[in-house]
Amino acid sequence: MLHPIRALAISTLLLTPPALAQPAGLTETLLHLGETAEVTRAPDEVVASLRAESRAGTAAAAQQAVNRSIAAAVARAQATPGIQVSTSGYWTGRVEEQRNWQASQAVTLRSGDGPALLELAGTLQGQGLALQSLDWTLRRETERAAREEAARLALDSLQRRATAVAEQLGLQLAGLREVRIDAPERSPRPMAMAARSSVSSAAPVAVAEDAVVRATVEAVAVLRPRS
């Protein structure tokens, strides 16, 4: 779906009736315009982050337990078609109140197949990993295309607005200067997660909503007397 948004801030040299819009010697009028447009896309990728943790009397014992858990999780993920897996965030430290050592590491799962990923996340939860986050998001290529479309819509809207203002002033649009397009990348949208019972094999439940991608275009429109 396409949703143009008009967020206009105009600063001109003149905002007077057409009869007074062209004093002697004036060659151009500058309009500072801004337009925002948005498009929506259905999320096409789900990302889950799980963490393995262990406490033991020695750093080596805590780390070995985490290493085994992560190795098993990675092997399980790599054996599941359509799942991309990566690891990050390895940490080891002493738990001061008990003088024990604690180690932890995160594993990230990414896939366009939501049901398969959620089933795998449930399996890893049953193996003792803690689910840290679960997000619906857009693939990079999907988001890039959406940003480009939103920017095009915003630019089209800006040009139409500049033309309309020029006509109100008895002028014509000569062109645009200092065009700036701001289309920030989206952060992942959290999905709703339903509470489950204590059954270890249960997969998390998630419901996604459409992602909104926006782009803002700002420019200086150059208006000149009609030829």
Side-chain angles (χ1 to χ4, degrees):
M1 296 179 62
L2 308 181
H3 301 279
I5 300 175
R6 181 153 295 167
L8 174 63
I10 305 178
S11 174
T12 73
L13 298 181
L14 293 175
L15 279 178
T16 55
L20 302 177
Q22 300 179 42
L26 179 64
T27 59
E28 62 183 31
T29 297
L30 303 181
L31 293 175
H32 296 262
L33 302 173
E35 291 286 341
T36 297
E38 67 181 29
V39 299
T40 58
R41 293 289 185 273
D44 55 3
E45 187 173 60
V46 62
V47 181
S49 177
L50 299 99
R51 179 170 294 276
E53 294 185 353
S54 177
R55 290 189 181 186
T58 66
Q63 290 172 140
Q64 287 172 8
V66 166
N67 294 348
R68 287 193 296 269
S69 295
I70 292 295
V74 169
R76 183 72 177 81
Q78 290 176 336
T80 304
I83 302 292
Q84 299 177 34
V85 58
S86 62
T87 60
S88 63
Y90 203 115
W91 178 87
T92 304
R94 189 183 291 276
V95 183
E96 293 298 338
E97 64 271 16
Q98 298 179 1
R99 305 302 295 173
N100 286 335
W101 286 87
Q102 178 175 325
S104 66
Q105 187 178 16
V107 59
T108 299
L109 309 175
R110 185 182 297 268
S111 178
D113 186 345
L117 186 142
L118 295 175
E119 186 66 28
L120 174 60
T123 298
L124 297 182
Q125 284 179 302
Q127 294 176 358
L129 275 68
L131 182 61
Q132 294 188 128
S133 64
L134 193 58
D135 304 292
W136 280 110
T137 187
L138 298 177
R139 294 182 185 273
R140 290 184 179 179
E141 55 271 23
T142 304
E143 183 177 354
R144 184 182 304 110
R147 290 201 309 269
E148 291 174 354
E149 182 174 358
R152 178 181 58 78
L153 292 173
L155 182 57
D156 289 345
S157 181
L158 185 144
Q159 290 176 314
R160 289 194 300 270
R161 185 58 176 156
T163 299
V165 173
E167 292 177 355
Q168 289 178 328
L169 295 175
L171 304 173
Q172 64 181 0
L173 176 63
L176 301 178
R177 296 177 183 171
E178 301 178 19
V179 179
R180 175 182 175 182
I181 298 177
D182 182 17
E185 293 189 6
R186 293 179 59 262
S187 58
R189 178 183 295 273
M191 62 172 73
M193 290 189 293
R196 281 288 194 175
S197 67
S198 60
V199 178
S200 62
S201 60
V205 176
V207 178
E209 58 181 312
D210 285 351
V212 178
V213 181
R214 295 182 175 87
T216 298
V217 176
E218 297 177 351
V220 177
V222 180
L223 309 184
R224 291 176 181 164
R226 294 174 180 172
S227 56

